[in-house]
Every structure is written in C-alpha cells, then in structure tokens.
Amino acid sequence: MKATMKLAVTAGCATLAPVLFLSASLGAVLGTDGARDAGGASGSLACTATGTPTGSVAGYDRDQIANAATIVAVGKQRGVPEYGWVIAIATAITESRLRNLDYGDRDSLGLFQQRPSMGWGTRAQILDAAYAATQFYRRLVALPNWQQTGLAPAAQAVQRSGFPERYAQHEQEARHIVGALTGVSCVPAPPSPSNTSWVTPVAGRCTSGFGPRSGEFHRGQDIAAPIGTPIVAASNGRVIASGPASGYGLWVRIEHAQGVITTYGHNNRNFVAVGQSVHAGQPIAEVGNRGESTGPHVHFQVEPGGQPTDPVAFYQQQHAPRLCDL
C-alpha cells in the first residue's frame, strides 16, 4: 500500500531586533488509483503513508480505510501510543463514519467534525485529513493522564460532544481497524517539483506584517497557527541556529543558497540541530508562543544577503506559493 497525504491552522510578536544566538492526499490505500488531494491548505507538510493492511476490515470501503490509514500514520509520526490511534479512529467513526465530510452541524467539517469557529483551523485545513488528525492528537495528548481515563472520557474531553456516550460504542471497531493498519507509517517526502525552491513554512493566517510597528520595526511576517502545528523548512539549506534566543523564545535559523537566511521564531519545540542539512518541506519545529509573543504563531523572517526583507514580497518574487492567508 502506498498513499500520499498532507499534514498540515490571531497572534503577533513583539518587535524583534537582531539578537545573538544563545545555544545550540491520500492515494488509493487498498489499490492502484492515482494520488488524491484531501483538500489540504497551501503550505501543508507533504509526507508519504506506506505499508500494507494486515487484515480485512468488513463494512468499510476504500475511502474509509484510506482515512483511517491517515489517522494511524499521523499518530505514528507524532509518537502517539497505539491507544491514542484507537481513540482517534473511534472518534472519527462516531463523528463521520470515517468520511471526510464537507458539511455537518453548524460549521462542523471533516473526519472529526471540527469547527473553524472553535479554533480548529480554516475550512481548507480541517478538510485535510492529516491536518485534522494532527489537531485531534495535539489536544488528546495535552490531556492529563489521557491513557488512564478511558476512551469515551478522553474523546469527549477533546471533542466536547453533546452525546459523549457514543464514543465507547465504537471502541471494538476501532481496535479492529487499527489492528489491520499496523503496517502503515508516515515518512517525510520532498515537495512536488513546482514547489522545490520555496514552500510555505506553516499553514496559517497573516497577522503582523513586515515594517514599522508601534514606533519600532518588525523584521518579519507573523503567521498565526495553533500551538503544535508543524513548521517546515522554507527551502533547502543548512541549520545555523536552533535553540533559545532573546525575544524569540525558541528559534531556528537556516542558511539557503545565494546567502539567504530564514528565521522561524517563538517555537514550541525544535526538531533540528545546528549543522543539519534540511530540504524544503521538512519538519523543523512546532508553532509555539514563547518569548515576546502575544499568541500562538511563527515569526518568519527572510534575510537575503543578511538584510531583512518583506517575506510576502520575497515569496512573490520567487513565484512561490502565497505565504499565508489574509
């Protein structure tokens, strides 16, 4: 089995002056159909789900199993224990019968019937199955002792459903599906050829832009997204800084071709180390709210020749994807 999927969500940062670095779409899951896009937002993290189901799953068709494979693969990639996959699958069965629905109660959408109005992300993001699974897991593992609370209470704490008793009804189905998909995994993959030069570092909304602000000068573009949203390298390059930095909280800096340097600030966690080579679209950190920050976002800074420039204009000049949603 081979499937392609996309991972993939208002905030700002204080004006940051130069500082010293302080320390180091799912394809056919059970067949040979072509790749399919799950409605991901631009700037999503591309990865490949690979593996073969170890058993049949009666009562579920190709699309449902493809969605289940996404949920399991994302859980594996994020290091969530297997019981978390069972909770996620049972929740998706309850909410959508493992269908990536583009409708629901009020503004509910997708596999988990997440709502843009409740801060789960944009419509396009929620309809990206991998993004939706990522957001479910992010909230699940943030619960104290979630592995000891039982499936229904854990699912309810994440979803806050008006019918919390429903989740437990699908635990055995979920365990059967997870058992059939234990061979699934998600591994990073290079972006498509059209986007190999510059890609969007995170799917999110443009907030504070480049230029004068409150009597000072803001040197980057803030992109708002929930804490834990993956941040990816904007282009191929080498990590020159990764760790704490004054004002930025936790940052990553990457040197690219032609002397261009990109900075990603206020991170929750970093995934890369100084000296490491990275490729465009590779996960390097998670969105956070560290340092001089007024809400979860990434401060994205571009410095051609060591001089900060407007990242939005830079992306336009590179004929790259739109940097963030307005």
Side-chain angles (χ1 to χ4, degrees), residues 103-134:
Y103 61 88
D105 178 50
R106 286 168 286 188
D107 58 338
S108 299
L109 298 164
L111 290 174
F112 299 94
Q113 290 292 281
Q114 296 159 340
R115 298 176 58 191
S117 64
M118 300 301 291
W120 286 96
T122 66
R123 177 183 175 87
Q125 288 169 337
I126 293 171
L127 288 174
D128 182 316
Y131 171 91
T134 297

Side-chain angles (χ1 to χ4, degrees), residues 138-223:
R138 182 178 64 83
R139 299 196 185 194
L140 175 67
V141 300
L143 299 173
N145 302 314
W146 64 270
Q147 295 187 68
Q148 286 76 48
T149 61
L151 186 147
Q156 172 62 8
V158 174
Q159 297 290 114
R160 300 182 182 180
S161 169
F163 305 95
E165 69 282 354
R166 298 179 304 162
Y167 299 114
Q169 299 172 9
H170 300 291
E171 181 168 355
Q172 291 308 310
E173 289 176 80
R175 289 185 180 277
H176 185 58
I177 291 172
V178 167
L181 295 173
T182 52
V184 174
S185 62
C186 180
V187 295
S192 63
S194 62
N195 285 337
T196 52
S197 181
W198 290 92
V199 301
T200 314
V202 68
R205 189 167 73 83
C206 299
T207 52
S208 185
F210 180 87
R213 187 179 69 181
S214 302
E216 297 180 297
F217 198 90
H218 187 232
R219 297 169 177 267
Q221 173 66 56
D222 291 347
I223 305 174

Side-chain angles (χ1 to χ4, degrees), residues 2-5 25-31 33-37 62-63 66:
K2 185 173 183 179
T4 300
M5 66 182 181
S25 320
L26 284 175
V29 173
L30 299 178
D33 293 350
R36 52 187 286 168
D37 188 272
R62 185 191 302 269
D63 285 343

